[in-house]
Amino acid sequence: MILDVFFPNRCISCSRIIDGDLLVCNVCFGQIRFSHFDYSDENILKERCKLLFPVENAYALLRFEKESISRKIIHHLKYQSREKIGKTLAEWTNERVIFEDRKPDMLVSVPLHPKKQRKRGYNQLHVYTETLSELYSIPFKHGLIKRNHYSKAQALKDKKHRLENQNIFSITESINNQHVLLIDDVFTTGNTLSMIAWEVLKSGNNKVSILVMAMDE
């Protein structure tokens, strides 16, 4: 196409021209730090989650390091209108996560407040979640969790302010005997996922697992 000639797809990291369906070039792909966690086994993310709420399994695809390609990828997804990056990340996840007998019953992504979603134009987790739903044949439910208050990003708040935020989320319908896989972009303090996890757990005899695109170290 003529647009490909004048506006070729470039590697997010080094700007080398690459095929239109790729995110990074082969050289930069080799520099991405994947977590190499085992979804069904113990790992650092699961240990951090267990300090906040009961968790069955936890997995982070990438390590969210400073000046890393992982950070650039997430930044482009969230702030550069590159919503389709979620599809690539879902495909990378599918290559690395095998649920086996621990397959969740539904996928639920962390919601944005409607005001923030209108401003951004999309929820950065939706394409990721929907692609995973197709790849694993697991239903997703975007509307299960509602964000009640418009607030700054967790990463921009100090610890005291984070702890003051209660009742930010609520569950829109009761669920029972469900294994819910909660999906977020970056695990930092875990406070957001913790608040949502407790809403799910309080709703019925449910179980919670965690999947994040990247884990901040």
Side-chain angles (χ1 to χ4, degrees):
M1 294 178 62
I2 192 168
L3 287 177
D4 295 330
V5 175
F6 292 101
F7 303 100
N9 185 40
R10 294 182 179 275
C11 172
I12 280 179
S13 180
C14 70
S15 296
R16 183 182 284 111
I17 295 176
I18 55 178
D19 290 345
D21 58 344
L22 297 179
L23 189 56
V24 293
C25 67
N26 289 335
V27 174
C28 291
F29 182 82
Q31 299 172 10
I32 295 175
R33 286 203 63 198
F34 290 95
S35 71
H36 301 298
F37 291 165
D38 185 334
Y39 172 81
S40 299
D41 205 351
E42 299 295 315
N43 57 61
I44 298 172
L45 177 59
K46 184 175 179 180
E47 290 301 316
R48 290 172 67 178
C49 289
K50 285 165 65 175
L51 296 174
L52 301 170
F53 55 89
V55 63
E56 299 296 314
N57 305 284
Y59 182 86
L61 176 65
L62 307 170
R63 295 185 179 273
F64 198 66
E65 301 166 325
K66 292 182 178 179
E67 307 302 325
S68 67
I69 297 176
S70 301
R71 189 175 288 265
K72 290 180 181 178
I73 289 172
I74 300 299
H75 186 274
H76 276 255
L77 170 64
K78 295 179 68 172
Y79 307 117
Q80 300 295 324
S81 300
R82 297 285 300 276
E83 186 180 9
K84 290 184 179 180
I85 286 175
K87 183 176 185 295
T88 299
L89 293 176
E91 290 168 348
W92 290 354
T93 301
N94 180 244
E95 293 168 358
R96 292 163 175 80
V97 174
I98 301 174
F99 292 121
E100 296 180 335
D101 60 342
R102 296 172 180 260
K103 187 175 181 178
D105 298 309
M106 73 171 69
L107 310 179
V108 176
S109 56
V110 172
L112 292 177
H113 188 275
K115 181 178 179 181
K116 180 172 285 187
Q117 185 160 331
R118 285 194 299 270
K119 182 178 180 181
R120 183 173 293 172
Y122 59 95
N123 181 315
Q124 70 274 11
L125 299 174
H126 282 183
V127 169
Y128 180 68
T129 303
E130 291 160 14
T131 305
L132 289 174
S133 175
E134 293 178 7
L135 292 170
Y136 288 110
S137 298
I138 302 172
F140 66 87
K141 188 167 288 189
H142 290 323
L144 181 67
I145 301 297
K146 176 184 177 183
R147 186 183 287 263
N148 299 317
H149 305 290
Y150 180 74
S151 59
K152 295 181 180 178
Q154 286 290 94
L156 300 180
K157 301 174 185 174
D158 57 34
K159 185 175 181 180
K160 181 175 182 296
H161 193 167
R162 291 192 191 113
L163 294 176
E164 289 173 350
N165 284 315
Q166 302 297 326
N167 301 317
I168 288 180
F169 300 98
S170 60
I171 195 164
T172 59
E173 61 181 88
S174 296
I175 56 172
N176 194 38
N177 294 318
Q178 295 291 298
H179 182 184
V180 178
L181 182 63
L182 297 180
I183 298 174
D184 203 359
D185 46 24
V186 181
F187 186 98
T188 50
T189 64
N191 288 333
T192 294
L193 285 170
S194 178
M195 286 186 283
I196 295 174
W198 281 114
E199 291 298 322
V200 172
L201 293 169
K202 289 186 300 182
S203 177
N205 184 33
N206 302 308
K207 297 186 293 186
V208 168
S209 289
I210 299 298
L211 172 61
V212 294
M213 296 174 176
M215 183 179 71
D216 195 348
E217 299 182 340

